[in-house]
Structure formats: C-alpha cells, structure tokens
Amino acid sequence: MPVMTLIEAIRHGLTQEMELNPRTLVLGEDVGVRGGVFGATRGLLERFGPERVIDMPLAESSIVGVAIGAAVAGWRPLAEIQFADYIHPAMNQIINEAARIRYRTNGDYTCPVVIRAPFGGGVHGALYHSQSVEGLFYHVPGLKIVIPSTPYDARGLLRAAMEQEDPVLFFEHKRAYRLVKGEVPEEPYSVPIGPAAIRREGRHCTVIAYGLMVHHALEAAERLSREEGIEAEVIDLRTILPLDRETLIASAQKTGRVLIVHEDNRTGGVGAEVAAILAEEALFYLDAPIRRHTGPDAPAMPFNPVQEAAFLPNPYTIADQIRELVHF
C-alpha cells in the first residue's frame, strides 16, 4: 500500500468519491482554481470540471445552504469550510436546517451533506486560524461528528461519511495534515462511523483522545512504558458523535483509571460527556477520579509561540497526568 500523509489521503478520497459517484459535488472557498488552501482539492477542477468543483464566495452560510439544497435535490455535496474558525456564519444552516431535515419532514427528506473543515492549533494561527469548534456542535441531535487521526482512517471515514443520509461534520487537524503518515489502500474502503479504535493496549490507565492528541498520547504512553513500566491504554475516539460507549466503558473497567485529552476548551467539551458516561456506567470500577487534560477556558489560542505551547497538551504534560493517575 502507498504511504500517504493525512492531507494526501483526504485528496485521494475526494478524487475517488468524485469518480465513483457522478452526483458528488465539491464546493467551498478556493476549492477549484487554487485547489484548496491546504491542497486538499488540488487537481479536482481539471479532472471533473467547474460544474462539479465549485468555487464559492466568501460566505460560509451560502456554502452550506447551497450544499443542503443540492443534497435535498439528490446530489452528494462535499462542502469545505476553509478553516473551522469560520464555520460560525453557517451554524444556523447546520443546526436549524441540515440537522433537522429528516425530523421536520417525517423522514420524507434526508440531508446527505459532508462538511469538511481543518481545526486545531500548534501552527501559530492565533485567534482566527487555530480554533477547535467541535464542542459547539456536540449538543445537536441529527449531526454526526468525525475526527480522524490517521491517513487510513481519514480515507475510510470520508467514504463512510459520504454514505450517510444525514449531515456529517468532518474535522481534520491541520497540524496533522503533513505530520502524520501511514499506509492507505488504493481501492475503495470504509471505516465505520461510531466505533473507537484501541491504538495501544494497556492495564494501568486508559487515555481517551481524538485527532492530533492521539499521537501525543501514544508518544507519552511509549515513553512511560519504556522508562517506568507504566502501561497506558490509548483509545482513539475517531467519531465523537456518536460515541463508542461500549469500548470506553470496557477500557475503564479494565484499567480503573481514565485520562481524557483534547485541545478544545475544558468546560462543556467532549471530555465532559465522556467523563459523565464513565461516572454513570463504570464508577465502581475506578481507582482514581476521572481526569481531563485539555486546553484552558481562554478566549482564543495565543499567537506567541511560548504561550501557544503552554495552551496545548503535549506528550510531556500527558505523561505527567498519566503518572499522577497511576500513583493516585
């Protein structure tokens, strides 16, 4: 199998979906002539033409609104929001329209829209190019939220998202785009939406993460295993809505200690819901309080490199948290 970066796997997936289904559309800012600000749609315009690869105005509400209309009319739109930070003007379309079309029409219509957006920090993007927005949509029934951490999963989950009849938010960590590499099959395949992946088996502590934080957690776990004999189990959520409750509960019951890691703000984040589930379903198996290691409740990601580094969890701070949990 060829080795691809995360962004190459996304590009490969988009190309393949366009080839497999002639009713697939790609639309967004600079997705055509420029090929996307990160190169995710490079080459699609030349291959499939301007009727299927559509450069849209700087108007996120219109991008998503047009995608919703196309979906209801029988197309399979892939809408790109250039940075997740700019998804907010489209929130009304996503929450009040896309997520509720099946319900409001009593199942007569569905809304098979996939909305892709790069998110996350660590690239010196400061206030408007570093946000984690998944928590803003986490409370919305009718949506599915996917966050791949590997090229293999990115390609397979994109295919699975395109097979859904309801809207999917597909968030890709921008720092992982060229940092993370892995084997990706040439032939079409799907990774099911819902199940988490156990990236590393362990017995002393469970670490639950998604996106780039999975790789930080794995690095921390390997260091602790090598240097201190602490064996941490690392779970990659992959899909944060819906959550794989069964895998999370089983791991918590096995290890008795749980650390949840994400770079989104702490209050009301995905980690809070995971902690609530485990408190309800696995409390009497726990040997220490559930711990969250997250970004702070700050208004924005700092531009200053030192402050940005302090904002984000990293392998060293994750290792500290695991160590404290194990010795609780």
Side-chain angles (χ1 to χ4, degrees), residues 182-210:
E183 292 184 334
V184 179
E186 291 281 4
E187 65 276 5
Y189 68 95
S190 293
V191 173
I193 290 177
I198 300 176
R199 299 296 184 193
R200 186 185 193 279
E201 297 276 356
R203 65 184 187 276
H204 295 131
C205 178
T206 296
V207 183
I208 300 167
Y210 57 87

Side-chain angles (χ1 to χ4, degrees), residues 153-186:
D153 279 356
R155 173 64 195 96
L157 285 166
L158 183 63
R159 181 116 213 270
M162 290 298 297
E163 295 169 342
Q164 303 298 305
E165 293 298 325
D166 295 300
V168 178
L169 297 179
F170 199 93
F171 293 127
E172 305 150 12
H173 200 290
K174 66 176 75 71
R175 190 179 176 198
Y177 269 154
R178 292 173 175 83
L179 182 67
V180 179
K181 299 179 180 180
E183 292 184 334
V184 179
E186 291 281 4

Side-chain angles (χ1 to χ4, degrees), residues 13-27 44 48-49 51-54 70 74-79 112 114 158 162-163:
L14 293 172
T15 304
Q16 203 166 67
E17 293 304 319
M18 298 282 282
E19 290 174 339
L20 291 170
N21 187 348
R23 298 193 69 79
T24 301
L25 301 174
V26 170
L27 64 158
L44 295 186
F48 301 105
E51 293 185 350
R52 294 183 62 200
V53 182
I54 306 167
W75 294 85
R76 289 277 172 168
L78 280 152
V114 177
L158 183 63
M162 290 298 297
E163 295 169 342

Side-chain angles (χ1 to χ4, degrees), residues 28-30 55-63 82 86 89:
E29 299 164 19
D30 295 323
D55 275 324
M56 295 288 289
L58 186 68
E60 288 77 13
S61 181
S62 293
I63 294 170
Q82 198 170 81
Y86 296 106

Side-chain angles (χ1 to χ4, degrees), residues 11-324:
R11 188 187 308 123
H12 180 261
L14 293 172
T15 304
Q16 203 166 67
E17 293 304 319
M18 298 282 282
E19 290 174 339
L20 291 170
N21 187 348
R23 298 193 69 79
T24 301
L25 301 174
V26 170
L27 64 158
E29 299 164 19
D30 295 323
V31 298
V33 175
R34 185 174 179 183
V37 69
F38 293 101
T41 56
R42 188 178 301 144
L44 295 186
L45 177 65
E46 294 79 5
R47 192 162 184 170
F48 301 105
E51 293 185 350
R52 294 183 62 200
V53 182
I54 306 167
D55 275 324
M56 295 288 289
L58 186 68
E60 288 77 13
S61 181
S62 293
I63 294 170
V64 176
V66 169
I68 292 171
V72 172
W75 294 85
R76 289 277 172 168
L78 280 152
E80 179 182 298
I81 303 298
Q82 198 170 81
F83 287 87
D85 312 61
Y86 296 106
I87 203 169
H88 306 96
M91 289 184 73
N92 180 60
Q93 294 283 9
I94 295 170
I95 295 172
N96 282 331
E97 304 299 336
R100 298 178 180 180
I101 282 177
R102 182 190 287 270
Y103 178 84
R104 69 184 288 199
T105 65
N106 197 28
D108 289 340
Y109 290 92
T110 59
C111 188
V113 173
V114 177
I115 302 170
R116 296 180 41 253
F119 81 107
V123 295
H124 312 308
L127 281 73
Y128 299 116
H129 298 86
S130 299
Q131 294 179 47
S132 297
V133 301
E134 60 271 18
L136 300 176
F137 297 97
Y138 197 53
H139 187 66
V140 182
L143 293 178
K144 294 178 181 177
I145 305 176
V146 175
I147 304 181
S149 68
T150 69
Y152 181 90
D153 279 356
R155 173 64 195 96
L157 285 166
L158 183 63
R159 181 116 213 270
M162 290 298 297
E163 295 169 342
Q164 303 298 305
E165 293 298 325
D166 295 300
V168 178
L169 297 179
F170 199 93
F171 293 127
E172 305 150 12
H173 200 290
K174 66 176 75 71
R175 190 179 176 198
Y177 269 154
R178 292 173 175 83
L179 182 67
V180 179
K181 299 179 180 180
E183 292 184 334
V184 179
E186 291 281 4
E187 65 276 5
Y189 68 95
S190 293
V191 173
I193 290 177
I198 300 176
R199 299 296 184 193
R200 186 185 193 279
E201 297 276 356
R203 65 184 187 276
H204 295 131
C205 178
T206 296
V207 183
I208 300 167
Y210 57 87
L212 182 65
M213 292 299 115
V214 173
H215 300 281
H216 287 349
L218 286 169
E219 183 178 336
E222 291 299 330
R223 180 180 295 114
L224 288 171
S225 174
R226 184 174 59 252
E227 298 176 0
E228 302 178 37
I230 296 173
E231 300 297 337
E233 184 153 291
V234 178
I235 295 179
D236 179 357
L237 291 178
R238 300 196 290 192
T239 302
I240 64 171
L241 188 64
L243 278 173
D244 184 354
R245 298 167 64 98
E246 291 75 17
T247 296
L248 300 180
I249 293 167
S251 183
Q253 290 175 342
K254 179 175 78 170
T255 68
R257 295 172 173 83
V258 176
L259 172 66
I260 305 159
V261 183
H262 60 69
E263 69 179 75
D264 194 6
N265 305 125
R266 180 182 182 87
T267 300
V270 175
E273 180 64 20
V274 173
I277 290 170
L278 296 179
E280 291 172 349
E281 304 292 340
L283 178 64
F284 295 109
Y285 292 88
L286 298 178
D287 298 317
I290 299 168
R291 182 170 293 197
R292 289 176 289 163
H293 183 39
T294 70
D297 288 330
M301 184 83 66
F303 174 75
N304 180 292
V306 176
Q307 292 179 331
E308 182 186 47
F311 186 105
L312 296 167
N314 63 62
Y316 298 97
T317 59
I318 294 171
D320 289 341
Q321 296 282 326
I322 295 172
R323 189 182 297 108
E324 290 177 15

